[in-house]
């Protein structure tokens, strides 16, 4: 990942985790807890793609596994967010911009349900049966509901920040290469074609002038 991506992702993940632990976890809402960390990973994955989403998800999940008051095995949530970040990155729009909010909202609902199921599944493999006692159906419904209500206030802002960082040449370590690509693309566009056409026109005129000069010389010799 690029340096600007790492710095922005780390800052957003840390802020999301602090708010998650200090505010959202203490609301004592029925069922699940609104997962701000999951929404942060989704917003970044929709801009960075599946590879970046998987890396951000793994880092965010590992940080959540190690941050107090974590009561589960380390690496469990890292695996969940890594998979979710990868799958969410597959839904990245081709041009980097979203045409409607339907797609991201669907991604949020699927991610909320999928992360809950995957977390419960991994827990069952390691002997954690807490989801059975709480009620898996209630967890799925409340997780999807809370994340869907919180998503419009989180995901668009994170995507805007990520796109802005991507378009900042000073924050890009490969700015020279990017500038070369941009300049070559610009030259191959309309301006470059005009310049090429002008050069071709000058070459044609020069050739015609040489032919005319040669014709005049031959005419003088004949006389």
């Amino acid at each position: 990942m690029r340096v600007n991506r790492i710095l922005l992702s780390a800052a957003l993940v840390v802020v999301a985790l602090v708010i998650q632990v200090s505010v959202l976890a203490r609301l004592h809402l029925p069922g699940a807890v609104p997962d701000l960390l999951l929404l942060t990973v989704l917003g970044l994955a929709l801009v960075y793609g599946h590879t970046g989403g998987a890396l951000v998800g793994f880092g965010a999940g590992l940080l959540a596994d190690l941050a107090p008051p974590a009561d589960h095995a380390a690496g469990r949530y890292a695996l969940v967010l890594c998979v979710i970040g990868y799958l969410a990155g597959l839904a990245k729009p081709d041009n980097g911009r979203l045409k409607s909010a339907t797609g991201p909202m669907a991604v949020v609902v699927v991610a909320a349900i999928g992360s809950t199921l995957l977390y419960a599944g991994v827990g069952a493999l390691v002997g954690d049966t807490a989801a059975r006692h709480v009620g898996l159906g209630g967890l799925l419904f409340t997780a999807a509901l809370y994340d869907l209500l919180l998503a419009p206030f989180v995901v668009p802002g994170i995507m805007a920040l990520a796109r802005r960082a991507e378009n900042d040449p000073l924050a890009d370590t490969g700015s020279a290469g990017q500038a070369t690509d941009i300049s070559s693309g610009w030259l191959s566009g309309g301006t470059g074609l005009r310049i090429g056409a002008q050069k071709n026109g000058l070459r044609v005129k020069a050739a015609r002038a040489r032919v005319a000069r040669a014709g005049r010389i031959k005419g003088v010799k004949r006389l």
Side-chain angles (χ1 to χ4, degrees), residues 166-195:
E166 287 290 284
N167 296 329
D168 186 4
L170 297 179
D172 191 358
T173 55
S175 58
Q178 184 179 5
T180 303
D181 294 338
I182 294 175
S183 61
S184 62
W186 180 75
L187 289 176
S188 63
T191 305
L193 290 177
R194 294 192 192 98
I195 294 175

Side-chain angles (χ1 to χ4, degrees), residues 4 8 47 97 158-169 171:
N4 61 327
L8 178 63
V47 177
R97 296 186 179 275
I158 290 177
M159 294 182 65
L161 288 174
R163 284 197 298 263
R164 185 174 181 179
E166 287 290 284
N167 296 329
D168 186 4

Side-chain angles (χ1 to χ4, degrees), residues 192-208 210:
L193 290 177
R194 294 192 192 98
I195 294 175
Q198 292 175 359
K199 289 182 179 179
N200 291 333
L202 292 176
R203 291 174 181 174
V204 171
K205 290 181 180 180
R208 290 178 179 176
R210 287 194 296 269

Side-chain angles (χ1 to χ4, degrees), residues 51-70:
T51 303
L55 294 175
V56 172
F58 179 80
L62 186 60
L63 187 61
D65 288 332
L66 301 177

